[in-house]
Amino acid sequence: MKLSRRKFFVIAGTSAAGTVLMSPLEGLYARTANRRGVFGKGYGKLVKDPNGLLDLPPGFQYRVLSQKDDLMNDKTLVPSGHDGMATFRGPRNTVILVRNHELSPNSDTQLKGPNPYDPNCKGGTTTLVVGRDRQLIKHYTSLSGTYRNCAGGPTPWGSWISCEENTSTPTSLPLGDPNYVSQFHGYNFEVPASATTPVKPEPLVAMGRFNHEAVAVDPKTGIVYETEDRGDSLFYRFIPKVPGRLKEGGVLEALRIVGKPQANTASGFELRKPMKVDWVKIPQPNPLDGDTVRFQGFELGAAQFVRGEGIWYGDGEIYFCCTSGGAKGLGQVWRYIPKKETIELFVESTDVNELDSPDNIVISPYGDLILCEDGDDQQFLVGVTPKGELYQFARNAFNTSEFAGACFSPDGKTLFVNVQSPGTTFAIWGPWRRSYQG
């Protein structure tokens, strides 16, 4: 089973303990290293869907909640480009989903709202409210006019941080070009889960203008950790002036390895060897003359990482992933421990045949990881048990578009996931169970 190299991990939920998350990965890599079989039975052989949309194991069901061109409650149409997503508890036992749309100015669909950040841009977020019966109650635009909203992360105070994965400016391209923009891009935007109308888009400029990927918030301190999707990216932290109130500004810093200034972490680092770190302040977090934040940090000695992507907080630790890191370029997972101010290479992929950089990942409340595949042919949701065994949980039976945005409802009974193109959001439920023989 060969999985895509587009990304390593983009976590869709950040509340679970790191040890819960990492044990299946450790088990998988241990099996690979010891040349043991990595494939298990999981929930059983997938059953062909008579509707030709989603093949699932016996006993599991799905419902299409929202798809491209559906008329939303605000009288606009659902666009395509469904990507990162998170769930929140809503009033009266409802579930609120905030969903990214990774759209560019030249995309053939767009989010429409009364107050777009940039009228030339078509990305943003939609919000879905789902009842206890897994029926859609309403859905509507909650952020519009942004550029390629790919990932992001939820906050402990009930909002979604949507990240722009593009740094275009009004002078990047000539007026009239299909991707021309009228505003500066490369920012984070905050969308409260409780928002019932489109938010007024306010770029969080103090958090940096760069090629954002994902964020994770330390609930103990309110510090926001940020990844950057570049081959020479840095690992950042944003220390807000007031925890939980990001619009009021703060300080952006980049991680530096003590004794190894300007370290390139692509290869040559030992597994599980903690290294002391400190942080350098970015002089100009909102540069208007280029995509220079990472250059500023590197000049001050910050460490480079190869395409920082997914990040999550768990049990006082921060894990983040580098999609092209490692001696074989198959991906790395790094662990940063704020209390100790140390960083270490936690996992490095060495075998393309078993695991080659899957896309989104979510922690199952039942002990497994669910990985979203993004390959070149058939697309699967792939489970990883705590023993390190892989199994197929779902297959996109409609087309070859990737799965994205997998996340569980707060009660753990429903898995929500997107098929990115043309754009469909599913609710999946059935006989979930904790620990079983693969």
Side-chain angles (χ1 to χ4, degrees):
M1 180 188 300
K2 183 175 179 178
L3 304 182
S4 166
R5 291 187 59 181
R6 177 174 174 266
K7 296 179 183 174
F8 199 63
F9 299 127
V10 180
I11 193 70
T14 60
S15 60
T19 53
V20 174
L21 175 65
M22 299 313 297
S23 60
L25 292 181
E26 289 186 286
L28 174 62
Y29 288 119
R31 283 179 174 273
T32 301
N34 295 325
R35 301 184 182 277
R36 298 169 60 193
V38 298
F39 300 106
K41 297 178 181 178
Y43 286 92
K45 186 177 180 180
L46 301 185
V47 178
K48 186 175 181 180
D49 178 16
N51 296 316
L53 293 179
L54 202 61
D55 296 345
L56 295 169
F60 281 87
Q61 306 175 61
Y62 73 83
R63 175 171 292 128
V64 174
L65 292 177
S66 170
Q67 56 188 333
K68 178 179 178 288
D69 291 335
D70 280 353
L71 181 65
M72 295 193 289
N73 295 76
D74 57 7
K75 308 303 181 184
T76 66
L77 299 181
V78 176
S80 59
H82 297 32
D83 212 286
M85 192 163 59
T87 63
F88 304 85
R89 293 186 185 276
R92 297 178 291 280
N93 294 314
T94 59
V95 175
I96 297 174
L97 288 167
V98 183
R99 178 179 64 192
N100 271 1
H101 293 268
E102 189 179 13
L103 299 172
S104 301
N106 66 349
S107 297
D108 59 1
T109 63
Q110 71 178 92
L111 274 169
K112 294 182 179 180
N115 49 357
Y117 170 68
D118 183 341
N120 293 76
C121 289
K122 299 178 178 180
T125 65
T126 48
T127 297
L128 294 75
V129 181
V130 182
R132 295 181 61 185
D133 56 358
R134 303 183 180 91
Q135 296 281 358
L136 180 68
I137 297 175
K138 58 183 176 180
H139 52 161
Y140 48 89
T141 297
S142 47
L143 172 71
S144 65
T146 49
Y147 201 141
R148 288 191 63 194
N149 301 70
C150 179
T155 71
W157 50 87
S159 63
W160 169 255
I161 304 299
S162 187
C163 298
E164 287 190 309
E165 196 180 17
N166 186 277
T167 56
S168 293
T169 72
T171 58
S172 297
L173 295 169
L175 184 67
D177 187 279
N179 280 317
Y180 174 78
V181 299
S182 62
Q183 300 287 345
F184 285 83
H185 292 273
Y187 297 115
N188 291 335
F189 292 81
E190 186 167 13
V191 181
S194 60
T196 57
T197 58
V199 301
K200 179 182 178 182
E202 296 185 47
L204 301 171
V205 297
M207 296 185 73
R209 194 181 80 82
F210 54 86
N211 216 53
H212 286 276
E213 181 61 37
V215 304
V217 183
D218 184 340
K220 296 179 181 178
T221 62
I223 294 175
V224 184
Y225 295 88
E226 309 180 68
T227 57
E228 178 180 28
D229 189 1
R230 292 287 193 192
D232 56 351
S233 66
L234 307 185
F235 177 55
Y236 303 95
R237 72 177 182 185
F238 175 68
I239 305 175
K241 291 180 180 178
V242 182
R245 294 162 66 175
L246 305 179
K247 294 178 183 178
E248 297 190 19
V251 176
L252 182 67
E253 299 178 329
L255 181 141
R256 177 174 59 185
I257 300 175
V258 174
K260 297 179 183 291
Q262 297 186 327
N264 184 331
T265 66
S267 61
F269 284 79
E270 295 181 36
L271 287 170
R272 308 297 177 83
K273 183 178 180 180
M275 298 171 287
K276 285 289 185 180
V277 303
D278 57 15
W279 298 82
V280 297
K281 183 179 179 180
I282 302 297
Q284 296 181 334
N286 183 32
L288 301 182
D289 56 352
D291 180 17
T292 65
V293 170
R294 67 192 188 282
F295 301 143
Q296 296 176 50
F298 187 67
E299 288 178 0
L300 295 171
Q304 289 181 334
F305 296 90
V306 187
R307 295 192 61 201
E309 297 249 19
I311 181 171
W312 62 94
Y313 168 90
D315 196 26
E317 302 175 348
I318 302 290
Y319 294 85
F320 67 97
C321 307
C322 298
T323 190
S324 302
K328 295 187 177 181
L330 300 179
Q332 302 165 318
V333 179
W334 292 84
R335 175 168 65 179
Y336 162 66
I337 303 178
K339 187 176 181 180
K340 297 180 179 180
E341 285 294 352
T342 61
I343 193 170
E344 63 188 280
L345 179 59
F346 194 78
V347 171
E348 182 170 306
S349 181
T350 59
D351 193 329
V352 68
N353 293 312
E354 278 78 29
L355 191 65
D356 184 10
S357 307
D359 203 317
N360 296 172
I361 181 173
V362 65
I363 304 167
S364 161
Y366 308 96
D368 296 352
L369 305 184
I370 304 294
L371 311 172
C372 293
E373 194 170 305
D374 174 18
D376 300 321
D377 193 3
Q378 293 188 89
Q379 306 300 314
F380 293 90
L381 289 179
V382 180
V384 188
T385 75
K387 295 182 179 181
E389 293 177 328
L390 295 170
Y391 61 90
Q392 293 176 348
F393 177 75
R395 184 180 80 91
N396 175 1
F398 178 68
N399 59 19
T400 58
S401 180
E402 67 182 271
F403 285 106
C407 52
F408 278 86
S409 57
D411 66 6
K413 296 180 179 180
T414 306
L415 172 65
F416 299 97
V417 69
N418 297 319
V419 168
Q420 189 174 74
S421 182
T424 305
T425 299
F426 295 93
I428 301 171
W429 68 97
W432 302 107
R433 57 183 182 267
R434 184 178 298 277
S435 34
Y436 51 88
Q437 297 296 320

